[in-house]
Amino acid sequence: MKKEEILSCIDHTLLKAFAKWEDIDTLCEEAVKAKTASVCVPQSYIKRISEKYPDLNICTVVGFPLGYNSTGSKVQEIKDALENGANEIDMVVNISDVKNGDYDKVEEEIRTLKETCKGKVLKVIIETCYLNEEEKIAMCKAVTNAKADYIKTSTGFGTAGATMEDILLFKKHIGPDVKMKAAGGIKSVADLEAFIEAGCDRIGTSSALKMLEGASNGGEY
């Protein structure tokens, strides 16, 4: 797989609580140069990024990383993010609602947040590490019914990240208009290629550029 093809699927990510502007600025410079799909950053940096990098596709997170914010607060997060220049939203479902079996409630929240996005991309993080197979399948249906754009495996802050098993499960149960994003625990170029080849349109990672640079130095690229 060509390096450029991989980079076009990368949400170049920095969501650490202690991220400084110089770190975010470097991330954005790297994304522009590498032509990644987006940068995924904390909401507090969106406006500053959009002012300095007006052509950069900005993704941010909502209800992150635990998901138990109220729907109303998530709506306000999205409105603020879009006003400041974000184009894509990665929301976390209310995992407690999922565990309680309140799947209709989760679906309705996703639908409300998709409407709030007003045509912008909504990715739904279901945090697979906390869910059993029945719950994952229910989330595939909820994401599909609510007409979100993507289902995403993980926040990267849970007990585990993306697995191929979960991506293959998604493929069986999502609708034809739902795309997939893998995130968390992706540590090699082989992992990047495997998830893309399995059907992921996006990969969320902070280290794709380093992985690809290392492979290049080793002669693979």
Side-chain angles (χ1 to χ4, degrees), residues 68-88:
Y68 51 34
N69 317 55
S70 69
T71 299
S73 68
K74 291 176 181 177
V75 165
Q76 290 305 313
E77 282 188 79
I78 290 174
K79 288 180 177 180
D80 184 74
L82 297 182
E83 286 173 4
N84 284 317
N87 291 304
E88 301 190 0

Side-chain angles (χ1 to χ4, degrees), residues 90-103:
D90 286 19
M91 62 156 286
V92 186
V93 296
N94 189 316
I95 301 163
S96 295
D97 285 345
V98 181
K99 301 305 292 185
N100 287 328
D102 292 334
Y103 304 143

Side-chain angles (χ1 to χ4, degrees), residues 2 13 119 122 143-144 146 163 194 211:
K2 292 182 179 180
T13 302
L122 179 67
V143 171
T144 300
T163 68
M211 286 186 248

Side-chain angles (χ1 to χ4, degrees), residues 3-10 34-38 201-202:
K3 180 179 179 180
E4 293 76 16
E5 184 179 355
I6 295 173
L7 289 170
S8 70
C9 296
I10 300 298
K35 298 181 180 179
T36 61
S38 78
D201 286 80
R202 295 289 183 89

Side-chain angles (χ1 to χ4, degrees), residues 1 27 32 38 47 64 84 93 113 123-124 145 153 193 200 204-205 212-213:
M1 187 176 294
L27 183 89
V32 169
S38 78
K47 188 172 183 179
F64 192 86
N84 284 317
V93 296
L113 299 189
K123 308 188 199 93
V124 181
N145 292 342
T153 59
E193 291 180 328
C200 292
T205 175
L212 290 164
E213 183 181 354

Side-chain angles (χ1 to χ4, degrees), residues 136-174:
K136 293 171 189 175
I137 292 171
M139 288 303 93
C140 288
K141 294 177 180 177
V143 171
T144 300
N145 292 342
K147 301 188 184 303
D149 300 281
Y150 282 81
I151 187 168
K152 177 179 171 182
T153 59
S154 320
T155 63
F157 286 74
T159 55
T163 68
M164 187 58 65
E165 180 182 10
D166 285 332
I167 292 300
L168 295 177
L169 185 70
F170 287 177
K171 285 180 73 173
K172 286 178 63 177
H173 296 283
I174 56 175

Side-chain angles (χ1 to χ4, degrees), residues 190-211:
D191 288 342
L192 295 172
E193 291 180 328
F195 280 110
I196 293 169
E197 288 171 355
C200 292
D201 286 80
R202 295 289 183 89
I203 306 289
T205 175
S206 61
S207 55
L209 272 62
K210 291 180 180 178
M211 286 186 248

